[in-house]
């Protein structure tokens, strides 16, 4: 009697929770498949008019602007909007994206520098160059497999290009030398737990085979959701047909086959689905907070098992000409390197906080003084004596104890400097004048032409769906709980469904 009650409870629990979560599970699965193949879908754009209001650019927000580059007569601003040319007073904006491949994702720009008479742009999809006088952007061949550029810097008469894995060096902008940075002092072959969970969730931890397996799990999730919904509605359709004196034999047969394949897909893939769901839940707050700073050993034979100690860790580079040394911003913090790049890198003894999303601003504002901005805030850092202070309050920085929020009050997304005027860009609020004056300068309004030319990529829309941010308009601040709650619901559906199969249908099959 107790067993029959347990089965009845599991069936009812599984049915109603699955009906509630099915559509969300389909959205997770479909968006995840798109995210796993960014290059494939990079040419597809989605108009921001089709998205909730908070995805419309307002005052250059949403990481539209990351930085600026100035010549004698022009200012170039760049970021998720691509690159646009203006005069030093920012009166007009001219589209400067000619030559980039189709799709806004192909002009997601992280850094722009002038080397000799040529502009170089570091994008998510590779390195591009363009003559200042005229012409179009052209792809530059670089000696690395993963061409995601994170930063560009100049050192004397050399062009430095930083990828997520290597430093590239060139004296002519054509031929590049690939440099693997030395390991840091007291190096341990570890990686972030967040990074491990990220690659496990996407499947990249096991290379192309792992990504294809996760794609298959996405398709299985869609199959389970659709067959589950059909199993929920088919009895009602059968009853209606009977009431109308219509034949139901084919429908009843389809119902049995539908349930059979629902059960088969469920019990074959349940373990993989549970692991994938559990890892995904920890990639968003609040569960992210628990793993953001944790380091774990590298799993042998996986994608992360690389002889390169800086594999997927490099984010920004600064050449300190006064002290003839490099400064690297990495996912493990800031490190100094000697000019020859032959000695072990030394971690900065005292350094400003940087969000897990990476360093967005790394600009000198005087000798030995850097401005460091990320979603954790904006800080002034004296790289000689190690003093760190909050840029806005001027107070000395004190590292908090215990777990902290991954995003600060001021989510710094970028910086524009031109003609002695400076603006920083908050992710949500957009352009904000930096100087503490009574009459603050207003950054020019975003032109309609620029706004229309800056849709969202399908990949980014999929990311917003996959992380639950797309529902912020509906849920308000509680959207942050969307992923963990949805993840728990999916886990409960998977586990309860397995128990039903184990207790009922498995025995019937035998």
């Amino acid at each position: 009697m107790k067993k029959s009650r347990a089965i009845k409870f599991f069936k009812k629990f599984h049915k109603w929770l699955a009906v509630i979560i099915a559509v969300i599970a389909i959205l997770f699965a479909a968006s995840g498949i798109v995210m796993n193949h960014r290059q494939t879908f990079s040419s597809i754009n989605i108009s921001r008019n089709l998205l909730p209001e908070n995805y419309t650019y307002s005052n250059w927000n949403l990481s539209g602007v990351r930085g600026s580059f100035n010549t004698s007569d022009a200012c170039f601003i760049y970021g998720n909007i691509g690159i646009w040319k203006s005069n030093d007073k920012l009166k007009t904006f001219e589209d400067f994206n000619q030559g980039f491949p189709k799709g806004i994702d192909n002009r997601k720009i992280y850094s722009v520098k002038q080397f000799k008479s040529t502009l170089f742009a570091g994008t998510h999809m590779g390195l591009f160059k363009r003559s200042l006088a005229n012409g179009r952007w052209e792809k530059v061949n670089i000696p690395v497999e993963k061409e995601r550029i994170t930063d560009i810097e100049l050192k004397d008469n050399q062009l430095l290009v930083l990828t997520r894995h290597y430093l590239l060096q060139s004296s002519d902008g054509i031929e590049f030398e690939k440099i693997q940075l030395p390991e840091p002092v007291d190096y341990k072959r570890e990686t972030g737990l967040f990074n491990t969970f990220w690659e496990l969730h996407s499947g990249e931890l096991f290379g192309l085979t792992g990504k294809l397996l996760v794609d298959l799990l996405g398709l299985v999730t869609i199959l389970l959701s659709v067959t589950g919904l059909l199993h929920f509605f088919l009895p009602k359709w059968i009853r209606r047909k009977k009431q109308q004196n219509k034949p139901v034999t084919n429908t009843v047969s389809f119902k049995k086959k539908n349930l059979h394949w629902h059960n088969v897909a469920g019990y074959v893939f349940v373990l993989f689905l549970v692991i994938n769901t559990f890892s995904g839940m920890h990639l968003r707050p609040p569960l992210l907070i628990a793993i953001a700073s944790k380091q774990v050993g590298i799993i042998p034979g996986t994608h992360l098992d690389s002889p390169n100690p800086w594999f997927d860790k490099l984010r920004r580079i600064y050449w300190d000409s006064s002290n003839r040394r490099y400064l690297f911003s990495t996912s493990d913090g800031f490190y100094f390197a000697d000019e020859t790049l032959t000695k072990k890198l030394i971690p900065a003894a005292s350094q400003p906080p940087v969000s897990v999303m990476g360093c967005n601003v790394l600009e000198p504002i005087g000798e030995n003084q850097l401005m460091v901005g990320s979603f954790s805030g904006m800080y002034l850092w004296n790289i000689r004596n190690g003093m760190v202070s909050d840029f806005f309050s001027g107070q000395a920085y004190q590292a908090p104890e215990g777990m902290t929020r991954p995003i600060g009050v001021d989510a710094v997304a970028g910086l524009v400097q031109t003609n002695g005027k400076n603006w920083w860009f908050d992710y949500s609020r957009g352009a904000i004048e930096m100087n503490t004056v009574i009459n603050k300068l207003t950054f020019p309004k975003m032109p309609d032409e620029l706004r229309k030319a800056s849709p969202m990529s399908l990949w980014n829309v999929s990311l917003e769906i996959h992380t639950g941010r797309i529902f912020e308009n509906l849920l308000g601040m509680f959207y942050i709980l969307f992923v963990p709650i949805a993840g728990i619901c999916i886990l409960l559906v998977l586990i309860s469904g397995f128990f039903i199969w184990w207790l009922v249908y498995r025995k019937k099959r035998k």
Side-chain angles (χ1 to χ4, degrees):
M1 187 68 177
K2 290 183 179 180
K3 185 177 179 180
S4 63
R5 284 183 178 177
I7 292 172
K8 187 177 180 180
F9 169 78
F10 273 123
K11 281 186 174 182
K12 185 174 291 188
F13 179 82
H14 178 80
K15 179 177 72 172
W16 289 108
L17 189 58
V19 168
I20 293 170
I21 206 68
V23 174
I24 293 172
I26 291 172
L27 289 174
F28 277 146
S31 60
I33 292 172
V34 172
M35 289 174 62
N36 244 6
H37 303 278
R38 187 166 191 169
Q39 187 76 48
T40 302
F41 295 100
S42 63
S43 63
I44 303 176
N45 295 330
I46 304 295
S47 172
R48 292 180 182 268
N49 294 331
L50 301 175
L51 301 171
E53 186 179 353
N54 55 319
Y55 288 98
T56 300
Y57 278 124
S58 175
N59 192 31
W60 307 83
N61 61 346
L62 306 178
S63 292
V65 176
R66 181 179 176 89
S68 63
F69 172 76
N70 296 285
T71 61
S72 58
D73 61 349
C75 174
F76 300 87
I77 64 169
Y78 58 85
N80 288 348
I81 58 173
I83 180 168
W84 291 74
K85 181 180 179 181
S86 180
N87 56 23
D88 58 1
K89 296 182 180 180
L90 301 176
K91 293 292 185 181
T92 59
F93 293 90
E94 175 188 345
D95 191 346
F96 207 70
N97 294 293
Q98 299 81 11
F100 287 125
K102 180 183 177 182
I104 191 73
D105 211 27
N106 285 299
R107 48 188 175 100
K108 185 181 179 73
I109 299 176
Y110 295 105
S111 183
V112 176
K113 286 288 190 295
Q114 180 182 348
F115 181 62
K116 298 180 178 179
S117 60
T118 304
L119 285 180
F120 285 84
T123 79
H124 195 92
M125 301 298 181
L127 181 66
F128 289 79
K129 67 178 181 180
R130 176 173 177 166
S131 169
L132 257 178
N134 50 50
R136 298 164 62 85
W137 290 103
E138 299 175 1
K139 185 80 177 287
V140 180
N141 291 323
I142 52 178
V144 292
E145 183 181 354
K146 302 290 186 180
E147 295 187 279
R148 180 176 178 180
I149 309 301
T150 58
D151 205 2
I152 301 177
E153 178 64 300
L154 302 178
K155 173 184 179 286
D156 302 331
N157 293 317
Q158 291 182 321
L159 177 68
L160 305 175
V161 178
L162 193 69
T163 74
R164 300 268 287 200
H165 312 298
Y166 299 100
L167 174 64
L168 306 177
Q169 183 176 280
S170 175
S171 58
D172 58 8
I174 300 173
E175 298 293 330
F176 288 84
E177 176 189 2
K178 182 174 77 171
I179 301 172
Q180 179 177 303
L181 300 182
E183 66 184 38
V185 173
D186 299 327
Y187 171 62
K188 296 179 181 179
R189 291 198 78 244
E190 294 180 335
T191 188
L193 182 57
F194 172 82
N195 201 30
T196 302
F197 272 33
W198 179 279
E199 294 215 352
L200 176 63
H201 186 65
S202 69
E204 193 176 5
L205 191 64
F206 303 102
L208 178 60
T209 302
K211 293 180 73 172
L212 293 176
L213 174 60
V214 169
D215 289 344
L216 177 59
L217 293 181
L219 295 175
V220 169
T221 299
I222 295 171
L223 174 66
L224 289 172
S225 301
V226 172
T227 54
L229 288 172
L230 285 173
H231 187 68
F232 177 79
F233 288 109
L234 279 171
K236 298 178 178 60
W237 294 342
I238 292 172
R239 284 197 299 269
R240 187 175 299 171
K241 278 189 172 186
K242 286 182 177 180
Q243 291 171 358
Q244 296 172 351
N245 293 320
K246 293 181 179 179
V248 297
T249 305
N250 291 338
T251 310
V252 171
S253 176
F254 175 75
K255 178 177 176 293
K256 290 179 180 179
K257 290 179 181 179
N258 179 76
L259 179 60
H260 169 74
W261 288 112
H262 181 83
N263 288 336
V264 169
Y267 72 72
V268 169
F269 292 100
V270 63
L271 179 61
F272 299 101
L273 291 169
V274 166
I275 293 172
N276 190 258
T277 302
F278 181 80
S279 59
M281 290 165 56
H282 287 79
L283 300 179
R284 291 288 297 160
L287 298 181
L288 166 63
I289 299 173
I291 68 168
S293 59
K294 297 290 190 301
Q295 296 289 309
V296 295
I298 295 173
I299 303 173
T302 62
H303 178 249
L304 295 174
D305 187 13
S306 168
N308 182 359
W310 300 103
F311 182 82
D312 202 34
K313 293 183 177 181
L314 304 177
R315 301 295 185 267
R316 300 296 298 267
I317 179 175
Y318 169 68
W319 168 243
D320 182 7
S321 58
S322 299
N323 300 297
R324 306 302 295 178
R325 61 179 178 175
Y326 296 93
L327 173 67
F328 291 96
S329 172
T330 78
S331 57
D332 293 338
F334 289 94
Y335 288 82
F336 291 107
D338 72 295
E339 184 174 5
T340 64
L341 292 172
T342 57
K343 299 177 182 178
K344 291 186 177 182
L345 273 65
I346 301 173
S350 175
Q351 52 186 275
V354 171
S355 164
V356 70
M357 277 71 84
C359 182
N360 296 323
V361 174
L362 186 64
E363 293 290 335
I365 55 171
E367 190 173 356
N368 297 315
Q369 190 93 328
L370 291 177
M371 185 159 45
V372 180
S374 73
F375 282 7
S376 291
M378 185 82 85
Y379 297 88
L380 289 179
W381 181 25
N382 189 309
I383 56 176
R384 171 162 288 183
N385 60 29
M387 290 187 63
V388 178
S389 60
D390 186 280
F391 178 85
F392 303 109
S393 68
Q395 296 180 351
Y397 170 71
Q398 292 184 342
E401 297 181 359
M403 294 187 298
T404 58
R405 294 175 69 247
I407 298 177
V409 175
D410 300 309
V412 179
L415 175 72
V416 166
Q417 298 174 301
T418 180
N419 198 26
K421 303 167 187 175
N422 306 291
W423 289 269
W424 69 279
F425 292 74
D426 183 271
Y427 180 80
S428 299
R429 294 173 288 169
I432 302 174
E433 211 277 322
M434 297 185 72
N435 300 326
T436 54
V437 294
I438 297 176
N439 297 317
K440 290 184 177 292
L441 299 170
T442 302
F443 199 79
K445 184 180 178 182
M446 201 171 189
D448 289 337
E449 178 195 2
L450 195 155
R451 196 193 306 271
K452 290 176 182 177
S454 303
M456 281 189 76
S457 67
L458 177 61
W459 188 92
N460 274 110
V461 173
S462 298
L463 177 64
E464 296 304 299
I465 293 171
H466 208 73
T467 58
R469 286 194 295 259
I470 197 80
F471 302 110
E472 185 177 1
N473 262 8
L474 295 174
L475 304 177
M477 62 178 292
F478 295 104
Y479 87 94
I480 201 169
L481 300 175
F482 179 82
V483 168
I485 291 176
I488 291 171
C489 290
I490 292 173
L491 286 177
L492 290 174
V493 168
L494 291 170
I495 293 169
S496 61
F498 177 78
F499 276 123
I500 294 170
W501 171 81
W502 183 268
L503 296 172
V504 181
Y505 297 105
R506 176 172 167 269
K507 289 187 176 182
K508 283 185 179 180
R509 191 183 63 169
K510 286 185 177 181

